[in-house]
Amino acid sequence: MTLSSQYQVITSPLGDGLHKDGKRLTPQRLKVLNLFENIGAGNHLSAEEVHEKLIKSSSKVSLATIYRTLRLLVQMGLLHELELSEGGHRYELLSNETADHHHLICIRCGRTEEFESDEVLNAGKVAAKVNGFKLIESSLNVRAICPNCI
Amino acid sequence: MTLSSQYQVITSPLGDGLHKDGKRLTPQRLKVLNLFENIGAGNHLSAEEVHEKLIKSSSKVSLATIYRTLRLLVQMGLLHELELSEGGHRYELLSNETADHHHLICIRCGRTEEFESDEVLNAGKVAAKVNGFKLIESSLNVRAICPNCI
DNA sequence: TTATTATTGAGAATATATACCATCTCTTAA
DNA sequence: TTAAGAGATGGTATATATTCTCAATAATAA
């Protein structure tokens, strides 16, 4: 059994999603997704960090491919792109646990508190349904000034 | 009466906010804020667009200063920084009218629908109050897949 | 008015992300 | 099983966005 034939046997959300679009399940794409699955939902990495971590685990993937793969995984709904205060975009695994995490952010110092809200979750569901969209995730960002910065 | 003495007389939210922090009310900062006030809430500009518009109105302000000023105005809660699909950040005037605009975004094609929600607005208020934050604005981003991209 | 110090302008430097293209590999069909 | 076609990768060059540096300027407080 060769390495390449392995991939044809494995069935996964990634493989299925790719194949129905004429796209391919490659070792690089698997490595990137596996990395996020290993660190768990809720942890986020930049493209550069993904690159470094893969190199450290002897799984070299070029930076260009990492950027391409991250964008692809976001479009497939497997990763979520975050916009943090500094230093570009970060990505995290999209899961049911993270689907209702909202953020209260201080616009001065960047301090961030997380909270949950059924009302918000529901508002997202309704908005998606009304417009005929298939819901993936909703997140509320509340911009405010924290007690220390007032 | 000199130009500079004019600024000492004017009282404005911008001037007040700046002075209590040891910062200064400069013509450049006024020009940038006035630009956003003139185009009205709901319209957003990139740093580069602000630069171009000021040059066209014979009010030359350097690009470096524009970046510095945009960040400052965001931290003061006068502007809101938006993260659009492509080409960097954009900024818009923060007002009561824009404070409850939420977005339903297709992760495939970027199609965006706006909607409003009292429940979301309220959830933001509650979260801010519970944590002792002073609320500025809250926005819900719902990631989904639109009918055309499913 | 003067001293102090924040701010500006201009361009260099950096960071982030994409484009390009030759090479490689997966997939399909013969 | 092999060959052809299409998609993907790697490495680098390039584009774009943003920040940094520093001398000169100007706003503020006394």
Side-chain angles (χ1 to χ4, degrees):
Chain A
M1 186 194 227
T2 64
L3 252 180
S4 63
S5 68
Q6 254 190 69
Y7 297 118
Q8 298 173 358
V9 179
I10 292 175
T11 295
S12 67
L14 178 58
D16 295 348
L18 289 169
H19 288 147
K20 79 174 157 50
D21 257 344
K23 302 195 169 176
R24 295 172 183 174
L25 181 57
T26 66
Q28 290 88 341
R29 288 170 179 174
L30 267 178
K31 283 173 187 168
V32 172
L33 184 56
N34 282 339
L35 174 59
F36 281 98
E37 287 172 344
N38 287 336
I39 66 167
N43 292 307
H44 44 72
L45 302 173
S46 67
E48 194 58 61
E49 286 168 347
V50 170
H51 191 217
E52 286 168 14
K53 281 185 184 288
L54 288 180
I55 286 176
K56 275 183 190 159
S57 66
S58 321
S59 303
K60 198 158 171 241
V61 177
S62 79
L63 192 55
T65 294
I66 286 170
Y67 273 105
R68 285 185 288 235
T69 302
L70 290 175
R71 195 178 357 167
L72 178 72
L73 295 176
V74 167
Q75 289 179 339
M76 292 180 68
L78 296 172
L79 293 184
H80 171 208
E81 184 176 5
L82 305 166
E83 179 64 21
L84 296 191
S85 39
E86 304 298 328
H89 298 152
R90 285 168 169 274
Y91 301 84
E92 69 179 13
L93 196 64
L94 198 55
S95 75
N96 291 334
E97 298 137 49
T98 60
D100 188 31
H101 270 182
H102 308 302
H103 297 272
L104 177 63
I105 307 150
C106 176
I107 60 170
R108 298 267 165 78
C109 68
R111 175 182 158 194
T112 300
E113 303 291 336
E114 290 197 346
F115 64 97
E116 298 191 359
S117 163
D118 288 341
E119 293 80 40
V120 173
L121 189 62
N122 195 54
K125 277 184 190 165
V126 170
K129 188 161 194 176
V130 166
N131 290 274
F133 283 50
K134 183 182 170 214
L135 178 66
I136 292 183
E137 187 203 41
S138 55
S139 66
L140 176 63
N141 288 320
V142 181
R143 274 172 288 285
I145 303 178
C146 79
N148 295 333
C149 293
I150 288 176
Chain B
M1 186 193 226
T2 65
L3 250 179
S4 63
S5 69
Q6 254 192 68
Y7 297 120
Q8 297 174 359
V9 178
I10 291 174
T11 296
S12 67
L14 178 57
D16 295 347
L18 290 169
H19 289 150
K20 78 172 157 54
D21 258 345
K23 303 195 168 179
R24 296 172 183 177
L25 181 57
T26 65
Q28 290 89 341
R29 289 171 178 173
L30 267 177
K31 284 173 186 168
V32 172
L33 184 57
N34 283 339
L35 174 58
F36 281 98
E37 287 173 345
N38 287 336
I39 68 168
N43 292 307
H44 43 72
L45 301 174
S46 65
E48 193 59 60
E49 286 169 347
V50 170
H51 191 218
E52 286 168 14
K53 281 187 183 290
L54 288 180
I55 287 176
K56 276 182 189 160
S57 66
S58 320
S59 304
K60 200 161 169 238
V61 178
S62 79
L63 191 54
T65 293
I66 287 170
Y67 274 104
R68 287 185 287 234
T69 301
L70 291 173
R71 198 180 351 170
L72 178 71
L73 295 176
V74 166
Q75 288 179 339
M76 293 180 66
L78 296 172
L79 293 183
H80 171 207
E81 183 175 6
L82 304 166
E83 179 63 20
L84 296 190
S85 40
E86 306 297 329
H89 298 151
R90 285 168 169 273
Y91 301 83
E92 70 180 10
L93 197 64
L94 197 55
S95 76
N96 292 333
E97 298 137 47
T98 60
D100 190 33
H101 270 181
H102 308 301
H103 297 273
L104 178 63
I105 307 150
C106 177
I107 60 170
R108 298 267 164 79
C109 68
R111 175 182 158 195
T112 300
E113 303 291 337
E114 291 196 346
F115 65 97
E116 299 189 357
S117 164
D118 289 341
E119 294 81 37
V120 174
L121 189 61
N122 195 52
K125 277 183 190 166
V126 170
K129 187 161 194 175
V130 166
N131 289 275
F133 283 50
K134 184 184 169 209
L135 178 67
I136 291 183
E137 186 200 45
S138 56
S139 66
L140 177 63
N141 287 320
V142 181
R143 274 171 289 284
I145 303 178
C146 79
N148 296 333
C149 293
I150 289 177

